[in-house]
Amino acid sequence: MEPIISARGIKRYYKRGSETVKALDGVDLTISSGEMVALLGPSGSGKTTLLNVLSCLDAPTDGTLVVAGKSVAGLKEEALVEVRRGVLGFVFQQFHLLPTLNVAENVELPLLFLGLKPDRRRTDEVLAMVGLSDRKTHLPRELSGGQMQRVAIARALNIDAKILVADEPTGNLDKVTGEQIFQLFKKLAKENDLALLITTHNTAFGYKADRVITMEDGRIVKEEHPGSAQASLRP
Ligand SMILES: Nc1ncnc2c1ncn2[C@@H]1O[C@H](COP(=O)(O)OP(=O)(O)O)[C@@H](O)[C@H]1O
Ligand SMILES: [Mg+2]
């Protein structure tokens, strides 16, 4: 399978006075379409930094990165915006819905930013994919946390993204709702051939992914495949 993200020797160093924080210190990772990858690891291990670099929100200090066929490392912000356009969809812990827009309008917002005309049929389709067909005209404050996150997921799907990234998407949700959101992510990855990259503190959620990457001190220290035959043989 052709990788949609291919990263080699990724470093992201932050200078703080005379000190250098090595947020990422040599990460190699490839992700294919249709694959759901979870990033686990303690707070400060570099999960968010890795997510931001792989999704072209942040540029690495060193290393090579190819995203959807484009070589990314060394590009400046304007060029990174071009790589993200229509390729990357984002889901956040805080949902980031506009409170004055209804569900359908929130879902259509990124299309307006891309200069595209929203298509009501497509809006209906992505809302059906996240199970919210009956909430189109509701305002965010009339929804539960899980429903708000589903709207955010529909919004990310609406631009026909090839890669969906989510930083702690269940951080503000209870256990049952969080689990449902992970199940939804998994279904969406398979049905739409989407690459999904998700960080989580919740190990049980993380193990629902196809691949679990554990980080420590800016490096990958473990990689597991929970769904594989090998994993199911484990006691
Ligand atoms: N903008 C920044 N400036 C300086 N240090 C940072 C910055 N962002 C993150 N760091 C540091 O990089 C390390 C990794 O952070 P982060 O990627 O947010 O970890 P995680 O998401 O796993 O909690 C931490 O030590 C953090 O303090
Ligand atoms: Mg983080």
Side-chain angles (χ1 to χ4, degrees), residues 180-199:
Q180 288 166 350
I181 292 291
F182 262 79
Q183 259 146 12
L184 175 64
F185 274 132
K186 190 162 196 176
K187 181 178 91 114
L188 292 172
K190 299 296 163 233
E191 289 177 359
N192 302 280
D193 208 26
L194 267 176
L196 247 161
L197 183 60
I198 306 182
T199 71

Side-chain angles (χ1 to χ4, degrees), residues 104 107-109 111-112 116-127 158 160:
V107 166
E108 290 170 352
L109 198 58
L111 295 177
L112 301 179
L116 301 170
K117 206 169 155 291
D119 170 356
R120 257 299 136 94
R121 278 218 320 264
R122 175 66 181 161
T123 306
D124 290 349
E125 197 175 280
V126 292
L127 281 171
N158 203 11
D160 280 324

Side-chain angles (χ1 to χ4, degrees), residues 10 21-27 38-50 200 207 212-224:
I10 296 292
V21 178
K22 298 181 174 180
L24 295 176
D25 201 17
V27 170
L39 287 177
L40 288 176
S43 181
S45 58
K47 302 182 296 297
T48 295
T49 308
L50 181 58
T200 178
Y207 280 89
V212 181
I213 307 278
T214 303
M215 297 194 65
E216 233 170 72
D217 296 331
R219 293 168 185 268
I220 292 174
V221 293
K222 193 159 63 169
E223 176 166 342
E224 295 159 284

Side-chain angles (χ1 to χ4, degrees), residues 110-203:
L111 295 177
L112 301 179
F113 284 128
L114 288 169
L116 301 170
K117 206 169 155 291
D119 170 356
R120 257 299 136 94
R121 278 218 320 264
R122 175 66 181 161
T123 306
D124 290 349
E125 197 175 280
V126 292
L127 281 171
M129 283 159 80
V130 300
L132 281 181
S133 295
D134 54 349
R135 291 289 187 278
K136 270 173 236 171
T137 58
H138 285 233
L139 291 172
R141 66 163 180 274
E142 297 166 335
L143 303 174
S144 69
Q147 288 171 333
M148 283 194 261
Q149 195 58 300
R150 283 170 192 269
V151 176
I153 294 168
R155 179 180 58 188
L157 292 170
N158 203 11
I159 61 156
D160 280 324
K162 310 262 179 297
I163 305 164
L164 214 64
V165 299
D167 197 4
E168 303 280 353
T170 56
N172 282 348
L173 303 176
D174 63 70
K175 190 168 158 289
V176 173
T177 310
E179 202 167 294
Q180 288 166 350
I181 292 291
F182 262 79
Q183 259 146 12
L184 175 64
F185 274 132
K186 190 162 196 176
K187 181 178 91 114
L188 292 172
K190 299 296 163 233
E191 289 177 359
N192 302 280
D193 208 26
L194 267 176
L196 247 161
L197 183 60
I198 306 182
T199 71
T200 178
H201 269 90
N202 189 311
T203 313

